[in-house]
Amino acid sequence: MQPDQRSESPAESLSEGRLGDVSFLAKALADENRLRLLLALRDGQQSVSQLVESMGLSQPLVSHHLRELKRTLLVEVERRGAFIFYRLSRPEVLDLLRALDGLAGMLLAARKNF
Amino acid sequence: MQPDQRSESPAESLSEGRLGDVSFLAKALADENRLRLLLALRDGQQSVSQLVESMGLSQPLVSHHLRELKRTLLVEVERRGAFIFYRLSRPEVLDLLRALDGLAGMLLAARKNF
DNA sequence: TCAGCATATAAACATATATTTATATTTAGT
DNA sequence: ACTAAATATAAATATATGTTTATATGCTGA
């Protein structure tokens, strides 16, 4: 028996039980600004001020979305001096974004727009 | 060069460009009732009345969510007589649900709750 | 301890989304 | 053509969510 190539094994395949968690997670990914934040953390941690700078959003708004991402466990926080750094909690977060992007592209390929 | 094992190849890897589409798709998956509907269509098409029956939701609510799923291209519709049948537009939709479920489980495994 | 920067939090507001209730549309059968 | 069933649509309502504005908290260096 060959080992599972994927980094993650589905255990039991998708029951009604955890749909609450799934929708909770999907909600966190349902905002474009939050997606941009996750993408900005692709190559490593960033301080809030760096994120504010690169995203062109107000500081409170960035903080608010980061808190949401933390609540969903998608990011982790570490204080270093006066700065606070955020990073993706797991690399698999990006895999999921790619999967979403892939499906969106696939669906749009058939029709032209959503 | 070996063929790609996955059913879908990421083409270019996740740019800022399509985040609008991605968030649009994620929004559709961010409601528990819609997730339950998609799951109910796992094994093939179902009429609206069947879905109303099995989900225990009001008929207008089911219709409303189905329309939303159709708008997102996640389901397709076919009228047959007085009945209207909905089905998943692509099997990959289920793959994505599994991926979401997998990540949710992974994140929760580290901490206890969201 | 004070001043200034970095970040968070709270309040106020606007907008979007889910749900219910009521009604319209479409189809099949008679 | 009428009726009943299946589904969709619209209006009304409630709730949630994103954004802005204002203020508070925490850290650092003088």
Side-chain angles (χ1 to χ4, degrees):
Chain A
M1 174 179 169
Q2 297 288 78
D4 192 332
Q5 294 296 336
R6 289 158 302 184
S7 61
E8 170 225 345
S9 53
E12 340 142 28
S13 214
L14 203 54
S15 69
E16 284 239 348
R18 282 162 300 191
L19 289 190
D21 294 335
V22 175
S23 76
F24 185 75
L25 177 56
K27 266 192 194 87
L29 302 173
D31 181 273
E32 193 170 346
N33 284 331
R34 282 195 292 270
L35 292 176
R36 294 210 299 137
L37 281 168
L38 291 175
L39 221 53
L41 299 175
R42 175 167 30 188
D43 300 314
Q45 58 181 11
Q46 301 256 357
S47 70
V48 177
S49 38
Q50 287 177 310
L51 292 168
V52 167
E53 157 78 13
S54 67
M55 309 241 334
L57 298 176
S58 72
Q59 177 268 313
L61 186 53
V62 169
S63 273
H64 172 250
H65 284 308
L66 286 172
R67 173 163 48 153
E68 207 62 20
L69 291 173
K70 187 188 165 200
R71 219 171 53 99
T72 330
L73 306 179
L74 287 165
V75 302
E76 289 175 347
V77 198
E78 182 187 352
R79 168 153 238 151
R80 205 183 307 169
F83 293 78
I84 297 186
F85 287 86
Y86 285 82
R87 60 171 176 273
L88 298 182
S89 58
R90 311 203 49 147
E92 287 87 352
V93 172
L94 287 176
D95 295 341
L96 186 60
L97 293 189
R98 276 188 278 270
L100 274 165
D101 188 51
L103 182 60
M106 206 180 309
L107 295 175
L108 284 173
R111 302 224 174 192
K112 35 269 192 181
N113 50 4
F114 276 112
Chain B
M1 174 177 169
Q2 297 289 77
D4 193 332
Q5 294 295 338
R6 289 158 300 182
S7 61
E8 170 226 345
S9 53
E12 342 143 26
S13 215
L14 203 53
S15 68
E16 283 240 348
R18 283 163 300 194
L19 289 190
D21 295 335
V22 174
S23 76
F24 185 74
L25 176 56
K27 266 193 194 87
L29 302 173
D31 180 274
E32 191 169 348
N33 284 331
R34 281 195 292 269
L35 293 176
R36 293 211 299 136
L37 281 168
L38 292 175
L39 220 52
L41 299 176
R42 172 168 32 190
D43 299 314
Q45 57 180 12
Q46 301 257 355
S47 71
V48 176
S49 38
Q50 287 177 310
L51 291 168
V52 167
E53 156 78 12
S54 67
M55 309 241 333
L57 298 177
S58 73
Q59 178 269 314
L61 186 53
V62 169
S63 272
H64 172 250
H65 284 308
L66 287 172
R67 174 164 46 151
E68 206 62 20
L69 291 173
K70 187 188 165 201
R71 220 171 53 100
T72 329
L73 306 180
L74 287 165
V75 301
E76 288 174 348
V77 198
E78 181 186 353
R79 168 152 240 152
R80 204 183 306 169
F83 293 78
I84 297 186
F85 288 85
Y86 284 82
R87 61 171 175 274
L88 299 182
S89 59
R90 311 203 49 148
E92 287 88 351
V93 173
L94 287 177
D95 294 342
L96 185 60
L97 293 189
R98 275 188 279 270
L100 274 165
D101 188 51
L103 182 60
M106 205 180 309
L107 296 175
L108 285 172
R111 302 226 174 191
K112 36 270 195 179
N113 52 3
F114 277 110

